[in-house]
Amino acid sequence: MLDSLISHDPKVLTEKKPDEIIASGVVESLQNFLRKCIIAVLSYGPMPKHIAFIMDGNRRYAKSRSIKQGTGHSVGFAALMASLIYCYEMGVKYITVYAFSIDNFKRDPSEVKTLMELMEEKINELLENKNVINKVNCKINFWGNLDMLPEPVRLAAQKLMASTAENTGLIFSVCMPYNSTSEIANAVTELCKERRDMMQGQQASGRNGRPANGGACSDISVSDLDCHMYTAGCPDPDIVIRTSGETRLSNFLLWQTTFSHLQNPDPLWPEFSWRHLVWAILQYQRAYPYIEQNKDLAKKQL
C-alpha cells in the first residue's frame, strides 16, 4: 500500500501479470482491514498525542548489507514516510524526528556533504510529490539553527514549511541541525532580549528612569522559557523511540522529555515497521498509569 505513496515507478505496474495484480490487491485489502482492527483495539487504551523518533542505525543498516552509505538513509526515509501514515491512521497528532544533530557536522566532510545533498533531494521530492503530505494533511516544521545549513537545503526547507503552513492535520517536525543545548540557549537569548526590550519600554514611560512595575518583569519562569522553545505550542512527547537498541537521548528534546516514555527497540531505523510501532504503543499503555502518577506528584511539589 505504502509503496504506491512513496514511489511511482511505472515499471512496477507493467512488469506484473494480471493474476499478480489481483493477488496483491487482495493482500493489500486484507492488510488494511487487519490494521484497522488492531488500531480499533489499541484505541481502547490511552493513545499518545506526540511521538518523537531518534532515527538511529541508517549507516549500520547500509554497512551490514554492503551497500552505499547514502542508500541506508534513503531506505530510512521510506521507513519515515510509512511511519507518518501509520501514526496518522492511529490518530497521533504530532510526530517529531531527530534528523541531523549539530554535532554531526563534526563527521567526515564528505559524509556531511552527502547527507546535505540527500536532505535537499528528499525535501524537493516532498515539494514535487505531495501524496503523503496530502494524505495526512501534514504541516511540516524544521526546528534548529537553519543558518548552519547549506543555502539550497535551507531554502528548500523554508519553501516546504511555507507550502504546508495552512495544513491542519498531522504536525511533522524535523529537528535539523539541532541539539537541545542549542535550543535552550536560543530560548534564553530570545527571552532575555524580550525582557530587556520590555524593561526599556517601561523605563521610558516610568518616572525617574525606574520601571513602572518595580522591575517585576525581570523574573523568569519555566513557562516563560517554554514559550521560546522550538516546541512552543506543541505538547511534550508521550513516547521517545530510539531505534537500534541505543539508550542515549543524544541531546534531543532534553527540556521536553521529563515524563516521556523512553523506548529503545533493537531494529535499525530502516527496519522499523508497523509491528514495532504497535508494540511501542502497547508498552506506553502499560506504563501509562505510572507516568500519570509521576506527573501528579510533580504538580503537588510545585
Side-chain angles (χ1 to χ4, degrees):
M1 180 192 76
L2 293 171
D3 290 343
S4 61
L5 291 167
I6 297 168
S7 172
H8 289 78
D9 187 353
K11 293 181 180 179
V12 174
L13 297 176
T14 56
E15 289 175 358
K16 285 187 175 181
K17 297 178 182 179
D19 57 340
E20 291 177 335
I21 294 175
I22 294 172
S24 64
V26 171
V27 171
E28 180 181 315
S29 297
L30 180 59
Q31 288 175 338
N32 291 341
F33 174 73
L34 290 175
R35 193 158 65 249
K36 288 178 181 178
C37 290
I38 293 172
I39 292 172
V41 173
L42 285 175
S43 65
Y44 279 97
M47 293 295 287
K49 297 181 180 68
H50 184 180
I51 301 179
F53 294 97
I54 301 177
M55 304 182 293
D56 195 13
N58 290 321
R59 291 192 297 172
R60 276 171 280 174
Y61 178 87
K63 186 176 180 180
S64 67
R65 285 159 178 76
S66 300
I67 56 179
K68 289 194 301 183
Q69 199 169 87
T71 306
H73 288 87
S74 295
V75 179
F77 178 78
L80 173 59
M81 293 298 100
S83 294
L84 280 181
I85 294 172
Y86 295 149
C87 288
Y88 171 76
E89 292 176 346
M90 289 179 171
V92 180
K93 176 69 175 178
Y94 300 88
I95 300 296
T96 302
V97 298
Y98 201 4
F100 192 86
S101 168
I102 289 175
D103 296 327
N104 289 155
F105 282 114
K106 299 175 183 177
R107 292 181 178 178
D108 183 87
S110 62
E111 181 185 350
V112 173
K113 182 174 181 294
T114 298
L115 289 175
M116 290 295 118
E117 290 173 349
L118 182 63
M119 287 178 184
E120 181 185 0
E121 175 190 330
K122 296 305 179 184
I123 293 172
N124 286 328
E125 276 185 22
L126 290 175
L127 282 166
E128 295 167 7
N129 181 3
K130 292 188 175 181
N131 279 8
V132 174
I133 291 176
N134 292 337
K135 181 177 176 63
V136 301
N137 192 22
C138 182
K139 177 181 179 180
I140 299 180
N141 302 313
F142 285 90
W143 290 341
N145 188 349
L146 298 186
D147 290 336
M148 298 180 72
L149 294 172
E151 185 176 8
V153 182
R154 184 176 70 254
L155 293 177
Q158 291 170 342
K159 186 176 180 181
L160 185 57
M161 284 192 288
S163 70
T164 62
E166 301 302 319
N167 291 352
T168 57
L170 188 148
I171 309 297
F172 176 41
S173 301
V174 183
C175 296
M176 61 169 268
Y178 171 93
N179 65 35
S180 193
T181 306
S182 175
E183 179 186 19
I184 295 170
N186 179 72
V188 171
T189 300
E190 287 188 357
L191 180 56
C192 289
K193 182 180 183 303
E194 176 187 277
R195 290 304 174 87
R196 184 169 58 249
D197 293 343
M198 185 186 301
M199 293 182 71
Q200 287 174 348
Q202 289 177 340
Q203 287 175 348
S205 60
R207 296 181 178 181
N208 301 322
R210 299 179 64 184
N213 67 349
C217 70
S218 61
D219 296 337
I220 292 177
S221 67
V222 170
S223 60
D224 293 328
L225 278 172
D226 279 335
C227 294
H228 290 274
M229 293 291 172
Y230 298 136
T231 54
C234 174
D236 291 344
D238 299 296
I239 307 174
V240 177
I241 298 173
R242 178 167 188 158
T243 52
S244 80
E246 293 288 346
T247 57
R248 295 171 291 113
L249 280 176
S250 294
N251 214 347
F252 177 58
L253 297 181
L254 300 182
W255 183 267
Q256 299 87 352
T257 52
T258 303
F259 299 106
S260 301
H261 190 232
L262 308 180
Q263 302 187 24
N264 56 315
D266 289 330
L268 304 175
W269 174 250
E271 299 167 335
F272 191 81
S273 65
W274 159 257
R275 65 187 179 90
H276 300 118
L277 185 59
V278 169
W279 180 247
I281 291 177
L282 287 171
Q283 292 286 88
Y284 166 73
Q285 291 179 339
R286 181 181 178 185
Y288 182 80
Y290 173 75
I291 295 170
E292 290 302 300
Q293 182 183 17
N294 280 346
K295 286 182 180 179
D296 291 339
L297 286 173
K299 288 178 183 178
K300 292 177 181 178
Q301 292 172 359
L302 290 178

